[in-house]
Amino acid sequence: MKKVTNMKCIRRIALAVLLIIATVLIVPTVTDGNRTLAAQPPENSYLSVRFLDVGQADAALIGCDGHYMLIDGGNKDDSSLIYSVLKQSGINHLDMIVGTHAHEDHIGGLSGALNYASADLVLSPLMSYDSEAFRDFKKYADQNGNGLVVPAVGDEYKLGSSDVKILGVNGGEDTNNTSIILKITYGETSFLFTGDAEREAEQAVLNTKADLSATVLKVGHHGSDTSTTYPFLREIMPQYAVISVGAGNSYGHPTDDTLSRLKDAGAEIFRTDLSGDVTITSDGKTVSVTTEKETVAAGNAEAVKNAGAAVSETASSGESGSVSYILNINTKKFHYPSCKSVTQMKEKNRKEFTGTREEVISMGYDPCGNCNP
């Protein structure tokens, strides 16, 4: 009887081990303290985030597995640009639009987006705001986006194989501090968007103990010294930081203090005033960066200033705007060199081209729907 009992014990232990192994293999996410580690995306999937150069304003177009999201849209004068970007990219429907807060330099151009494309969901921290730009934003959201929705902290959404989570909203009474703060997670990589959130809103998110770690940070408030505080940045520790900012702006953005903090955090900095559009693609494990203009990415204020001087010289010589693309002469699509589709392209169909986006389109090529060149 003793031998039988021992065999039963052995079988029970073996069954328990198998259940543990099965659980590890089946469960798509695991937790590490308060952090959630996402499962790897499926094969042939990747995420693209294109930070659009809209001057002293913000706009970013995100694509994943044929699903699209727009975070902010620049000023009212950028409406035609946003319309054009969506049209040239062949995007007539957006899963989500996020107006991070009510200031015109973030929601002004979203009317252009909603004039061309429909949207399933339009997020805003407020339902009303006394400005023409916001009234237009709301009007077109009602017409083509199912109206405005105010999200709550903790709300989660899907965008293809990526996950979008609201980490902060209405973290203070000042309009900047109402900003929607959200994180897009794709495999082992993540992107944090903070609108124009300042110290008060940043602290409100810190108080929630949310996982703020991110591969890429869209720097808050165009690099103002009232945002990207040390306590907030210490929780993020980004590899890359993107600052959407206008050349020679009257605010002095980005400030030397903010650039210094980003340098201390070890972040590689990209600025739209120096690099034009900045596109970052992820395969779920690593990210790659492509810029519209070939400039120096810098982690310190002096190097950034030197890069700015170099860009000014290039612009005056008429050389700005040229970008390296990979053309697929079979599908008639063009891609950024970092695009995952390029690695799967047959050599006989591949052609390199350096020039402007308009030149490629005039040659009969359409932009890739994933890397959004």
Side-chain angles (χ1 to χ4, degrees):
M1 291 297 294
K2 190 174 183 179
K3 288 184 179 179
V4 173
T5 302
N6 288 342
M7 286 299 295
K8 286 182 178 179
C9 290
I10 291 171
R11 287 172 182 166
R12 287 173 181 167
I13 293 170
L15 181 59
V17 171
L18 288 172
L19 286 171
I20 292 170
I21 293 171
T23 300
V24 171
L25 291 175
I26 293 171
V27 175
T29 60
V30 296
T31 58
D32 175 18
N34 68 327
R35 302 186 177 192
T36 299
L37 308 178
Q40 279 301 307
E43 192 174 352
N44 299 324
S45 167
Y46 64 95
L47 177 78
S48 170
V49 179
R50 179 179 174 189
F51 298 91
L52 298 168
D53 179 13
V54 285
Q56 187 66 16
D58 262 26
L61 179 63
I62 298 96
C64 184
D65 306 336
H67 294 267
Y68 301 96
M69 173 182 182
L70 184 63
I71 301 177
D72 290 332
N75 285 292
K76 287 184 66 175
D77 290 344
D78 297 309
S79 291
S80 58
L81 170 65
I82 301 300
Y83 183 105
S84 176
V85 165
L86 293 176
K87 184 176 181 179
Q88 291 175 0
S89 300
I91 302 170
N92 59 14
H93 182 76
L94 294 154
D95 291 56
M96 293 176 63
I97 289 178
V98 180
T100 58
H101 64 293
H103 284 156
E104 183 192 335
D105 60 321
H106 289 253
I107 53 92
L110 292 178
S111 298
L114 287 162
N115 259 293
Y116 180 75
S118 59
D120 290 331
L121 179 68
V122 182
L123 300 183
S124 168
L126 305 170
M127 293 299 290
S128 64
Y129 188 79
D130 188 16
S131 75
E132 182 182 355
F134 190 88
R135 285 190 288 272
D136 287 345
F137 170 45
K138 186 178 187 303
K139 179 178 74 173
Y140 289 109
D142 289 340
Q143 291 178 3
N144 294 325
N146 299 307
L148 296 180
V149 174
V150 177
V153 173
D155 283 356
E156 296 184 344
Y157 311 93
K158 292 291 295 185
L159 185 74
S161 301
S162 66
D163 298 298
V164 181
K165 185 171 184 178
I166 305 299
L167 301 184
V169 61
N170 290 312
E173 293 185 3
D174 181 84
T175 303
N176 284 335
N177 284 323
T178 66
S179 291
I180 294 173
I181 298 173
L182 64 84
K183 181 176 177 180
I184 302 173
T185 301
Y186 182 72
E188 299 170 15
T189 64
S190 53
F191 297 71
L192 185 67
F193 290 82
T194 62
D196 278 358
E198 299 181 325
R199 290 185 181 90
E200 185 180 3
E202 290 180 355
Q203 187 59 52
V205 175
L206 289 172
N207 291 343
T208 68
K209 306 297 182 183
D211 174 19
L212 289 169
S213 61
T215 314
V216 179
L217 168 67
K218 199 293 294 179
V219 177
H221 202 182
H222 319 288
S224 165
D225 61 3
T226 59
S227 303
T228 322
T229 57
Y230 268 123
F232 195 62
L233 192 54
R234 276 197 300 267
E235 293 300 313
I236 305 166
M237 295 304 289
Q239 295 178 34
Y240 301 97
V242 179
I243 305 174
S244 185
V245 64
N249 67 86
S250 60
Y251 304 98
H253 295 161
T255 66
D256 288 348
D257 285 346
T258 299
L259 294 172
S260 178
R261 290 195 292 270
L262 291 167
K263 176 190 173 184
D264 290 344
E268 187 173 1
I269 302 168
F270 291 88
R271 294 168 45 169
T272 58
D273 61 335
L274 304 183
S275 298
D277 288 4
V278 177
T279 301
I280 304 182
T281 56
S282 168
D283 62 5
K285 292 186 177 180
T286 59
V287 301
S288 58
V289 184
T290 304
T291 60
E292 183 180 9
K293 303 172 186 175
E294 299 209 4
T295 60
V296 178
N300 62 75
E302 189 60 36
V304 168
K305 289 176 182 176
N306 292 339
V311 170
S312 296
E313 292 176 7
T314 301
S316 65
S317 66
E319 298 174 3
S320 64
S322 291
V323 182
S324 294
Y325 296 110
I326 302 298
L327 314 183
N328 187 323
I329 61 176
N330 180 45
T331 64
K332 303 299 285 185
K333 296 282 187 181
F334 68 98
H335 312 258
Y336 283 125
S338 59
C339 180
K340 191 172 182 179
S341 298
V342 172
T343 63
Q344 301 166 352
M345 196 182 297
K346 292 181 180 180
E347 193 61 36
K348 66 178 182 179
N349 295 331
R350 174 181 172 138
K351 181 180 178 181
E352 295 183 9
F353 176 82
T354 300
T356 66
R357 190 173 191 276
E358 290 71 22
E359 287 173 331
V360 184
I361 292 173
S362 69
M363 292 162 57
Y365 287 85
D366 294 318
C368 167
N370 289 309
C371 65
N372 297 312

